Amino acid sequence: MSSDQDEAAGWVAPVHTGVLVLSTGEAIFGFGFGAVGAAVGEVCFNTAMTGYQEILTDPSYAGQIVTFTFPHIGNVGVNDEDVETVDLSHCAGARGVVIGAPAGDPSNHRALRPLAQWLCARGIIGLSGIDTRALTTLIREKGMPNAVIAHAPDGVFDLEKLRAEAAAWPGIDGMDLVPSVTAAERYDWDETVWRSGAGYGKRNGAKHRVVAVDYGVKRNILRLLAEAGCEVIVAPATATANEIFALQPDGVFLSNGPGDPAETGRYAVPVIRELLARKTPVFGICLGHQMMALAVGAKTRKMPQGHHGANHPVKDFTTGKVEIVSMNHGFAVDRDSLPANAVETHRSLFDGSNCGIALTDRPAFSVQHHPEASPGPQDSHYLFARFVAMMDEAESRGIG
């Protein structure tokens, strides 16, 4: 049937208004939504079925384009409470999002607006209507590709220009992305966890003072520290050891964040070494875990596909239990490079990669996964209590 016959019959072929152009040259067409324009980044896949708003505002996804393996993303819309970026005026998080089925009108009592409208306001480009299973298979087999995601309402794209942009982007390996997501200045945090019918609470009183070094911290991490009875002071990633010690912390938290830990470690690792030398209790998550490992002499490596999802099994060797956890990382600590004073405490049961360490001669531990969840299971919330217990012990021994 010719195009004229199609129109006469009342059917017109849909115009592809979105495209994902890989650095290897392939162009995957679909339908654009959200922000208009183009953005370059590393394409990863996330297996979570819920929590897309938290995922897309997690600063650890800076520099990345997130592909959701679950086909129906956006059905519950968005709200003002499920944002993980601390600075609501700052659009730190994913550069683009790829989904299977187009998001329809939201159906949820908490929804304030549709996903597409929210993405547009945050400058995030969306692409729907493609085979996300095939894209996920490509990532599993060949690794996370660099790509440009583009949305043009008229469906007109300069593919050669987009291919050149994707091929020219250097990639996250060797890139320090923390400056784009860290706090500009120090601030206090007292918000606690969300409860149905009450919303978020406020901390009343505090037993310990914690300085949280912000490499791209998530809100729910800070909430759980406050929920555990900690006075939380958030410091920029560039804070010096003297600036941190001047706040007289009982413990220091090293946050999650994006990019290559070895690059961020150029300025962060010397500070962490000073904290450890003073025997200050230290707890690290994700990027914070990787940099604490670097601080004791270990190495990190880029992973082919990374870990991104809310269904990852991890074993805690200190308890013997297996937990289902949230993960979001493209680098991992090389277990074979760990020094004798760094004991492996957690391990991924998916691929055997390192997921946690504890120092035998310092009150310090860290984990690769996200015990704060948001989204995801809450199996690992106990780690915040473990940090408080470590500060209790240090206080009783006069350490800090």
Side-chain angles (χ1 to χ4, degrees):
M1 183 181 289
S2 69
S3 59
D4 290 341
Q5 289 173 319
D6 288 340
E7 288 192 37
W11 183 86
V12 178
V15 175
H16 287 133
T17 57
V19 66
L20 183 71
V21 180
L22 308 185
S23 58
T24 47
E26 298 96 326
I28 304 171
F29 288 92
F31 303 99
F33 66 104
V36 173
V40 64
E42 178 183 79
V43 185
C44 66
F45 67 85
N46 189 298
T47 57
M49 297 172 66
T50 62
Y52 52 83
Q53 189 177 352
E54 293 96 320
I55 291 166
L56 294 174
T57 56
D58 179 351
S60 293
Y61 278 111
Q64 291 186 303
I65 299 166
V66 181
T67 302
F68 284 98
T69 60
F70 187 68
H72 300 293
I73 297 295
N75 289 356
V76 297
V78 295
N79 58 66
D80 290 339
E81 294 182 320
D82 294 345
V83 173
E84 283 298 326
T85 306
V86 174
D87 185 354
L88 293 177
S89 65
H90 188 45
C91 294
R95 294 184 176 180
V97 55
V98 179
I99 63 177
D105 293 333
S107 178
N108 187 274
H109 69 99
R110 297 176 68 221
L112 296 180
R113 50 182 167 167
L115 175 62
Q117 187 182 109
W118 178 80
L119 291 176
C120 190
R122 292 191 68 84
I124 301 174
I125 299 170
L127 175 65
S128 69
I130 75 164
D131 188 345
T132 53
R133 295 171 299 176
L135 182 56
T136 298
T137 299
L138 182 149
I139 294 170
R140 282 177 169 165
E141 293 178 350
K142 298 184 178 181
M144 295 179 285
N146 296 337
V148 172
I149 185 171
H151 173 201
D154 60 4
V156 177
F157 300 99
D158 185 341
L159 292 181
E160 291 309 310
K161 179 180 178 182
L162 296 178
R163 287 189 177 102
E165 185 178 356
W169 195 62
I172 290 178
D173 195 1
M175 188 177 290
D176 177 21
L177 291 171
V178 168
S180 67
V181 298
T182 188
E185 57 187 17
R186 194 180 75 209
Y187 63 90
D188 297 330
W189 182 274
D190 64 358
E191 185 177 83
T192 56
V193 299
W194 187 91
R195 290 179 173 83
S196 180
Y200 295 112
K202 293 288 184 182
R203 171 185 52 78
N204 292 315
K207 185 176 183 181
H208 295 293
R209 175 179 293 174
V210 171
V211 172
V213 184
D214 177 16
Y215 305 118
V217 71
K218 290 173 63 181
R219 283 174 168 259
N220 215 46
I221 289 176
L222 301 178
R223 293 186 191 112
L224 285 170
L225 287 170
E227 185 78 14
C230 299
E231 176 191 356
V232 181
I233 303 173
V234 183
T238 53
T240 66
N242 286 339
E243 288 171 338
I244 293 172
F245 288 136
L247 298 172
Q248 299 181 315
D250 299 310
V252 175
F253 172 77
L254 309 175
S255 87
N256 61 293
D260 187 337
E263 290 303 308
T264 304
R266 294 180 185 276
Y267 53 87
V269 162
V271 175
I272 297 169
R273 284 177 176 158
E274 288 192 55
L275 298 174
L276 296 176
R278 190 81 70 92
K279 294 189 176 182
T280 303
V282 176
F283 173 28
I285 287 176
C286 194
L287 182 63
H289 161 68
Q290 295 161 358
M291 289 195 296
M292 191 170 85
L294 290 173
V296 297
K299 297 179 180 179
T300 56
R301 57 180 175 82
K302 186 76 163 64
M303 304 174 77
Q305 66 183 48
H307 288 165
H308 308 278
N311 60 344
H312 288 250
V314 165
K315 184 167 184 178
D316 182 349
F317 294 122
T318 65
T319 63
K321 294 181 179 180
V322 174
E323 305 157 24
I324 304 301
V325 306
S326 286
M327 284 195 174
N328 173 20
H329 61 103
F331 291 80
V333 172
D334 182 353
R335 177 189 300 105
D336 294 336
S337 69
L338 289 170
N341 68 325
V343 177
E344 183 175 56
T345 57
H346 296 74
R347 182 179 297 179
S348 167
L349 298 186
F350 270 164
D351 62 6
S353 59
N354 172 265
C355 288
I357 61 173
L359 304 188
T360 59
D361 57 350
R362 297 288 188 275
F365 72 97
S366 59
V367 293
Q368 182 62 74
H369 51 284
H370 282 262
E372 83 287 350
S374 191
Q378 301 178 0
D379 297 23
S380 302
H381 274 190
Y382 68 91
L383 290 171
F384 292 89
R386 185 178 290 181
F387 182 40
V388 170
M390 179 178 285
M391 290 187 286
D392 288 339
E393 182 177 357
E395 184 179 54
S396 67
R397 296 169 56 188
I399 298 175

